[in-house]
Amino acid sequence: DIQMTQSPSTLSASVGDKVTITCRASQSISSWLAWYQQKPGKAPKLLIYKASSLESGVPSRFSGSESGTEFTLTISSLQPDDFATYYCQQYNSFPYTFGQGTKLEIK
Amino acid sequence: QLQLQESGPGLVKPSETLSLTCTVSAGSISSSGYYWGWIRQTPGKGLEWIGNCYYSGSTYYNPSLKSRVTISVDASKNQFSLTLSSVTAADTAVYYCARLPRMLPFDYWGQGTLVTVSS
């Protein structure tokens, strides 16, 4: 199985901050990586697919990038609605696997 | 807008079989190019992909669960289902159904349903 390792596990930030979350794959997944946002009691919401493509309706302050097997989710200017948990997921090969999550908290 | 809704018992006894159904509305489960999947979430293991199905009946399962999982489609009812046999407390989780477009990740999710395994 491809292991997806996210860092950090928890991130404290303030409204207006720029934040970066990293996800590293244990082997090549090409660009078949997605980022999701999840709020308590809700299903994950797709933000980014194919490493850097923004899902329709997602604010442009969210962006994704890749460098080899390292992927990054960046939020350019945090808004109050952005405090949530973020997950990466590889869909390059079965079994699909997720990162363990990054909880973005208000500082 | 496409909607998915999970349904099924919220409590299952150990060693018994967990059965859930996902009803798709405002869209057809038989649409070409879309798979349908199950994912579960626990505090300990996080998000875990269970498996996918296509309206034709083809299926793909997580090897870690393959011996106990069956996913099936009922196109006439616009539903797909999950059965997980011989459950233990470790199968206690929130179970989600979701749509999986070809070459894309899960884009539409159900709200999730908590299934507790306990006697």
Side-chain angles (χ1 to χ4, degrees):
Chain A
D1 298 4
I2 298 175
Q3 306 303 315
M4 306 301 294
T5 304
Q6 270 184 253
S7 61
S9 296
T10 306
L11 180 57
S12 296
S14 301
V15 172
D17 285 353
K18 176 180 179 179
V19 299
T20 298
I21 298 169
T22 298
C23 180
R24 181 174 284 108
S26 61
Q27 63 190 74
S28 174
I29 58 170
S30 296
S31 299
W32 304 114
L33 182 106
W35 289 99
Y36 298 90
Q37 176 193 69
Q38 187 178 34
K39 296 183 178 179
K42 301 293 187 181
K45 173 189 174 183
L46 179 62
L47 300 176
I48 301 279
Y49 62 94
K50 210 156 185 289
S52 60
S53 296
L54 197 65
E55 175 72 348
S56 176
V58 174
S60 59
R61 62 180 180 272
F62 291 91
S63 63
S65 63
E66 64 177 296
S67 177
T69 58
E70 186 168 292
F71 299 84
T72 300
L73 173 69
T74 299
I75 309 173
S76 60
S77 179
L78 274 174
Q79 298 303 301
D81 191 50
D82 300 338
F83 292 95
T85 301
Y86 293 84
Y87 295 92
C88 61
Q89 180 225 334
Q90 67 82 16
Y91 54 104
N92 176 75
S93 60
F94 295 134
Y96 296 158
T97 46
F98 293 83
Q100 79 276 20
T102 295
K103 186 175 183 179
L104 181 52
E105 299 179 330
I106 300 175
K107 184 184 286 184
Chain B
Q1 182 169 344
L2 188 77
Q3 291 188 326
L4 295 89
Q5 178 70 57
E6 305 90 350
S7 59
L11 181 64
V12 181
K13 290 182 168 54
S15 80
E16 296 191 344
T17 296
L18 177 160
S19 296
L20 295 174
T21 296
C22 182
T23 301
V24 178
S25 56
S28 174
I29 202 170
S30 302
S31 297
S32 177
Y34 294 102
Y35 293 79
W36 305 89
W38 289 96
I39 305 101
R40 69 182 183 180
Q41 185 171 31
T42 62
K45 292 189 70 176
L47 289 160
E48 181 180 28
W49 172 72
I50 300 171
N52 297 339
C53 65
Y54 197 59
Y55 75 91
S56 62
S58 59
T59 53
Y60 308 86
Y61 299 136
N62 192 323
S64 68
L65 298 168
K66 188 174 183 178
S67 63
R68 299 192 291 130
V69 169
T70 302
I71 296 176
S72 59
V73 174
D74 187 338
S76 68
K77 295 182 179 179
N78 226 31
Q79 296 176 333
F80 62 106
S81 299
L82 167 71
T83 62
L84 181 65
S85 63
S86 305
V87 297
T88 70
D91 295 309
T92 294
V94 175
Y95 286 77
Y96 294 100
C97 59
R99 189 181 80 166
L100 182 68
R102 192 188 302 272
M103 306 300 285
L104 288 172
F106 297 104
D107 62 350
Y108 283 92
W109 295 61
Q111 65 184 24
T113 187
L114 173 62
V115 178
T116 301
V117 178
S118 175
S119 56

